[in-house]
Every structure is written in structure tokens, then in C-alpha cells.
Amino acid sequence: MLAKVTSKMYVYVHMSTTRKILNLKVELVRDLTHQVRELKLKCVEGTFAFRAGQFVMLHVPQEGPKPALRAYSIASAEQDSSGFTLLFKYVENGIASKFVWDLKGDETLQFTGPFGKVFFQEPPTDQAVFLNTGTGLSQHLSFILSHHHKYPQLKWRLLFGVRNEQDIYYQDVLDQVKKEVPNFHYEYVLSRPSETWLGKKGYVQNFISDFTPDTIPSTFYLCGNGAMIKDTKAILAEKYSLDPKRIWAEAFD
């Protein structure tokens, strides 16, 4: 998941040049859709500690003395310190996309990190709502995998926005989470579905009322398209007067 560069991100990039470079081996390359690729990476030596919600900087080799740095949220549980999983969205003519889509497995990649300060809020409210688009699922999946065992009674709710049926991925992963977490419920929301699609249609922010945040104490986590995040914040503020401290967001292109 490629992070949208902000002034804060520039600080992180500068910091990464002073941090120890991490070497991780590509253990698995899996294409989830025509433009989303999953990499499972393991530490070449030692371990890697991070908190759910954080990201790493991938060092992309290029001409010149310094690599290009690209930020990706970790999509796995923080309890696994042997490595991590990343999701990548293909970007036409993107330096990182070309590099990642040329990988076959067994390569050793370099990273710095972890970075980021968007964390799961503890103790939680009665309900945690995750609204994401594209590869914004990465951060939210890490939250759920890392914390669900501590809060079995929490209402875990997730809406995953994609364009059409061909863009759906990780249904197997989310179904497995549902088996392990009885209070977890997820749905896909398609903005351009086929006529045969029977699920939710439109955008994830169109379904905020499903969670009745005016009657159930809720914390919202938003990750993905910047327009979705802007719209959702406006709805939560104007319609539900939700405390801004109950909204945690990270925008990604």
C-alpha cells in the first residue's frame, strides 16, 4: 500500500536514512487481482518488532547513489516478529511497481522502519468500524489480527470498497478471521458492479448509518482514498457529532 506523501511523511523519509537497513527475503509472491500483489517477507537475520498500523519504507534500487523510498503499511499481526506481509497496488510507470512486479521470489529486499503513529485505540469503544478502499485494507487487517483476541466482545465491523467483482481480494483471509472472531462482520462495497452483484453498491461512506454511531459508542478507522476519508469525516461530524478523537485516518493513493 503506497502512502500519500505529506509533510509528516517527508520527516519519516529523512529519518529512514539514519535508521538501520533491514534485509528481508521474499518468501511468497501472490497476485490477488490484476493490479494487487501480496508479498510475504521474512527477516534474513534477527527479528522485526512493529505495532499494528505502522508502515515500512521499501528501498527501490535505481540509478544513482540512493534508492527510491516508498511507504507500505504492514498487513500482518504484530505478534509475528519474524517478518511481515505487504500489499502493493500497481501504478502505471511507477518505479516501485515495476520493481515489485518483476519479483519472482527468494529475492532479498531492503527496508527501513517501522514508522507511523496511527494505532488501534485501547481500551476500545463498544464498536470498531473500519472503512477502507483499495490496499487500505492492509492497516485495518493488521489492527484486527493483532487485537481481536483481547476483545472478543467488541463489535468488529469492516467495509471494503473496490470498483467491481474483479477487484475483490482477500475474501479467504477475511472469512478465516470471521471464523476466529464471532463478532467480526465484513462486506464489500462495489462502486461499479455488474448487474448480477447482490451486495452493497456505491461507496463505503454511504453506509455509515448501518453502524448507528449515534447509539453505539464507536471508533472509526479510515484508510485509503482521500476523498472517501474527507466525506466520511464530514458525515460523522455533521450528522452524528462524533468526537474527532474517535476518528483515525490515513490517506493512501
Side-chain angles (χ1 to χ4, degrees):
M1 179 166 65
L2 181 58
K4 182 177 181 180
V5 178
T6 64
S7 58
K8 184 180 291 186
M9 183 64 71
Y10 283 125
V11 173
Y12 290 144
V13 171
H14 176 72
M15 288 172 59
S16 71
T17 62
T18 66
R19 292 203 175 194
K20 179 182 177 181
I21 293 177
L22 309 165
N23 293 299
L24 289 99
K25 182 179 179 181
V26 179
E27 286 212 328
L28 175 69
V29 178
R30 182 164 71 127
D31 287 324
L32 304 174
T33 72
H34 64 289
Q35 61 176 3
V36 176
R37 171 165 281 198
E38 174 194 61
L39 295 186
K40 291 187 180 295
L41 302 121
K42 292 295 181 182
C43 298
V44 172
E45 57 182 26
T47 58
F48 177 74
F50 68 94
R51 289 183 63 183
Q54 292 190 299
F55 62 90
V56 291
M57 303 296 297
L58 170 64
H59 292 222
V60 183
Q62 62 174 357
E63 293 183 7
K66 295 182 179 180
L69 303 181
R70 297 293 185 270
Y72 297 92
S73 281
I74 297 172
S76 46
E78 64 182 33
Q79 288 83 359
D80 183 3
S81 61
S82 66
F84 48 79
T85 299
L86 299 179
L87 299 176
F88 299 82
K89 180 178 180 180
Y90 186 81
V91 177
E92 190 72 30
N93 299 318
I95 295 174
S97 292
K98 184 180 187 310
F99 175 69
V100 170
W101 261 257
D102 282 342
L103 297 174
K104 305 300 181 183
D106 290 331
E107 298 90 349
T108 296
L109 308 186
Q110 293 189 328
F111 296 87
T112 42
F115 304 109
K117 295 183 179 180
V118 176
F119 302 125
F120 185 74
Q121 299 303 295
E122 300 180 86
T125 49
D126 293 351
Q127 177 175 245
V129 181
F130 303 92
L131 305 183
N132 53 71
T133 60
T135 51
L137 176 65
S138 300
Q139 184 186 77
H140 294 171
L141 185 59
S142 184
F143 284 150
I144 297 167
L145 293 175
S146 300
H147 296 288
H148 74 79
H149 62 286
K150 293 184 286 184
Y151 305 107
Q153 301 307 314
L154 176 65
K155 294 179 183 295
W156 301 87
R157 300 292 183 262
L158 184 149
L159 290 185
F160 184 5
V162 296
R163 178 170 291 186
N164 54 47
E165 289 91 329
Q166 289 70 44
D167 294 316
I168 290 175
Y169 68 91
Y170 261 15
Q171 189 167 7
D172 57 336
V173 174
L174 295 174
D175 282 344
Q176 183 59 40
V177 173
K178 191 173 179 63
K179 289 180 181 179
E180 298 175 5
V181 188
N183 282 331
F184 173 68
H185 180 73
Y186 80 91
E187 292 183 81
Y188 291 96
V189 182
L190 275 54
S191 60
R192 298 182 185 178
S194 69
E195 294 181 357
T196 60
W197 175 251
L198 300 177
K200 283 182 164 57
K201 303 174 184 179
Y203 302 98
V204 294
Q205 60 267 36
N206 300 149
F207 300 95
I208 292 175
S209 61
D210 289 3
F211 307 109
T212 59
D214 50 343
T215 60
I216 302 176
S218 304
T219 301
F220 280 76
Y221 298 88
L222 320 174
C223 195
N225 181 275
M228 177 274 287
I229 291 174
K230 181 180 179 180
D231 289 349
T232 301
K233 284 184 174 181
I235 293 170
L236 291 173
E238 296 168 10
K239 186 174 181 179
Y240 298 99
S241 300
L242 193 69
D243 185 342
K245 294 180 181 179
R246 293 302 182 191
I247 306 171
W248 294 84
E250 196 147 66
F252 288 79
D253 289 330

